[in-house]
Structure formats: C-alpha cells, structure tokens
Amino acid sequence: MAGDYPEGRGRVRVEAADIEIEGVSIAGHESFYKLPGFRTLLEFGRAPEDVVGYATVCVTHGHLDHMAGLAHHASRRRLAGLPGARVFVPGEAVPHVEQWVEAAERLEQIEYGVEVVPAAPGDRIRLRNDLELTVLPGRHRVPTVGYLFSEVRQKLRDEFIGRPGEEIAALRARGVAVTRREEIPLLAYPGDCGDEIFEACPELFDARVLLLECSFLLPEDVDRAREYAHIHLGDILARADLFRNEAVVLTHFSQRYRPEEIRAALAAIPEPLSRRIIPFLPPL
Ligand SMILES: [Zn+2]
Ligand SMILES: [Zn+2]
C-alpha cells in the first residue's frame, strides 16, 4: 500500500481530447472523477477535500466505492457555508439515499439541503447554455444509469449561410428559424457495467471521450467479470473497430493487478484503437 492506495495506484489526472479528468478509480475501493470543465463531479468515491466545492454530482449506482462520501460531502459543504449539492442518482436509489441523508442530518441535528434528483435514461438536464447532461441506460448488478455530456450550439441553417447580417436579423425578427440546434457528444460514462452495455447504449461509441470501466484484464478473470457485471478487456478487443471516440479512457481496474500488469495487458489492444486508449493510472 502507498498511503491510502495500493502500490502505484491513487490520484490520476489525464487530458483526453481537451477534457480534463482528475480523480481516483480502483474497483471496489474508490471511484470519483472531477470534471472541472463541466463543473461536475462523477461519483463521490470517499469524497476527499478537493471535491467538496462541486455542487453538481452524478452518481451511477449505489455501490459504496462510488458513493460512500455522499454524507461526508453534504456535511462538509454545510460546514463551509455552501448550499446543498444537486446529486443525480438512479431513480430506484432515491428513497435509500434520502433515508441515508436524513439519518445523517438527525445524527448531526442539522439540515444539509441536498437535492437528490432521480435520473432515468432519456432525461436531459441543461447544465449551462452550451452544456447538456443526458442520462444513459446502465447495465450492472444494482440499478445503474450512465451520463453523457454534450455541447449544445445554435448553428446558422445552411440556406442562410453567406447572407448579410442585416438580412439574417430581419428574418429572425419575423420569426423565421434561422438557426438549428447542434449537439456534440463530448464525454460518455456508463458507470460500472457488463458488456451488454454496448448493445443497450450504442451512443457510447460516438462520444468524443468515452470513460469506460475495464475492471478485469486477464483470461482467467472472464467468469469473474460476467458474475459481477463488469467489463473484461476481451469485451473491448471484440469490438475494437466500433469505437469512433477520439479518446477511450480505461478505468476502474481491479486492485488484483499491479500497474505494470495493467499496462502489459492493455498492450494487446490493436491499432488504430490503441493510439486512442488512455489508461486511468498515475504516470510511471
Ligand atoms: Zn465500482
Ligand atoms: Zn459497482
């Protein structure tokens, strides 16, 4: 162990297609990802101090390696005088999360003001004028959802391209729809998942960045991956030509592997996919 984490694991910061992702992800131990560009936290993990400032948190499922820090996060925000966070969780998990928050509030005899928001596949949430969150389906052992962040732009319709500005303005004033909405899928994250996720959620293949768990790597762990509904490296190899992403960040590796074993196993990924793979591991 190195401090709180197994040797060679722990805090990671990567830049994937210009999107910064910082956090920790070790299967069964702790997973959270700070997305500073989206001002959003994916999962709580155990909620270290530097995630307390995040007021929007997207949780994929109730396993405590992803969620243990929820009450701590709420309490720390309250102590810091910050408003309660907005926390997205799968709809089925909402009553349990609310009971947990209420129990912690009674223990501390304070109110956190946490807003627990049920998330169901297909839900869309406007995070900013130019940024939208879409809830994706999940496939895991407990109720799970995924999340997609998309940039939203208003583009001039083709028929108006090259027309003078005054003419466009006049058309707009007359109520003509001169623009069309364009969505660019920036980052998709299905949370923990079995390989059925690829059929359930083909959107994963088209996001600029795919943050994808790959808990298991070695041939002897295929059954373990199936039993616990996790991705095995073989599931990715079998679909290597389907990933149209600019970057595929592989994460949530089991703590049974040493970092050098992880890197050696990932070397089996063929070109051209291998060039776009970023392992979510501390630098060598
Ligand atoms: Zn997990
Ligand atoms: Zn899980």
Side-chain angles (χ1 to χ4, degrees):
M1 296 287 283
D4 225 7
Y5 300 111
E7 199 65 47
R9 306 290 298 273
R11 189 60 77 115
V12 181
R13 187 186 164 282
V14 300
E15 191 115 350
D18 297 325
I19 296 172
E20 182 185 344
I21 309 171
E22 181 184 336
V24 171
S25 183
I26 304 165
H29 189 94
E30 171 162 43
S31 275
F32 70 88
Y33 309 91
K34 298 195 294 178
L35 302 173
F38 304 158
R39 290 163 151 250
T40 300
L41 181 67
L42 286 178
E43 324 281 24
F44 285 101
R46 295 182 291 179
E49 201 55 32
D50 63 315
V51 309
V52 172
Y54 280 82
T56 299
V57 189
C58 297
V59 176
T60 59
H61 67 294
H63 283 153
L64 285 188
D65 51 329
H66 297 244
M67 213 190 211
L70 182 144
H72 179 66
H73 184 267
S75 179
R76 293 289 302 123
R77 281 186 71 85
R78 172 64 208 264
L79 274 173
L82 297 167
R86 176 172 58 158
V87 182
F88 295 94
V89 301
E92 298 91 326
V94 168
H96 310 304
V97 170
E98 283 178 340
Q99 280 176 29
W100 179 17
V101 170
E102 282 161 26
E105 286 176 328
R106 280 201 293 277
L107 284 166
E108 300 211 81
Q109 298 192 356
I110 50 177
E111 276 185 27
Y112 301 138
V114 175
E115 185 193 354
V116 180
V117 184
D123 288 355
R124 283 166 172 263
I125 302 102
R126 179 59 68 94
L127 295 179
R128 276 194 322 234
N129 258 348
D130 63 341
L131 187 69
E132 197 165 82
L133 176 68
T134 305
V135 181
L136 301 176
R139 288 291 185 276
H140 193 40
R141 300 245 298 184
V142 294
T144 301
V145 295
Y147 296 98
L148 169 69
F149 297 84
S150 302
E151 185 182 339
V152 179
R153 288 187 201 161
Q154 295 297 327
K155 295 270 281 188
L156 199 59
R157 286 178 176 274
D158 291 346
E159 58 267 39
F160 302 120
I161 290 174
R163 304 264 195 102
E166 314 86 84
E167 191 187 330
I168 303 278
L171 285 165
R172 183 180 273 130
R174 288 205 337 251
V176 177
V178 292
T179 58
R180 64 183 162 79
R181 199 183 135 88
E182 190 180 72
E183 280 179 39
I184 303 161
L186 295 180
L187 183 139
Y189 170 60
D192 289 1
C193 51
D195 69 335
E196 317 88 75
I197 195 67
F198 295 113
E199 285 69 47
C201 188
E203 297 95 316
L204 296 182
F205 294 114
D206 290 309
R208 191 171 285 173
V209 175
L210 172 60
L211 179 60
L212 180 66
E213 75 126 296
C214 184
S215 300
F216 294 108
L217 300 163
L218 300 183
E220 58 264 37
D221 294 324
V222 170
D223 292 345
R224 194 171 272 115
R226 294 286 165 271
E227 187 180 348
Y228 294 102
H230 283 300
I231 298 287
H232 187 281
L233 177 59
D235 304 325
I236 294 169
L237 296 176
R239 297 169 177 82
D241 53 350
L242 297 181
F243 295 91
R244 291 176 291 271
N245 320 85
E246 271 179 47
V248 179
V249 179
L250 294 181
T251 187
H252 200 270
F253 304 113
S254 164
Q255 45 194 327
R256 55 201 301 119
Y257 310 124
R258 286 174 287 113
E260 54 272 27
E261 281 181 294
I262 297 170
R263 290 178 200 280
L266 297 184
I269 299 175
E271 293 276 8
L273 177 60
S274 62
R275 267 179 271 147
R276 291 176 279 141
I277 296 285
I278 300 174
F280 198 72
L281 287 172
L284 283 171

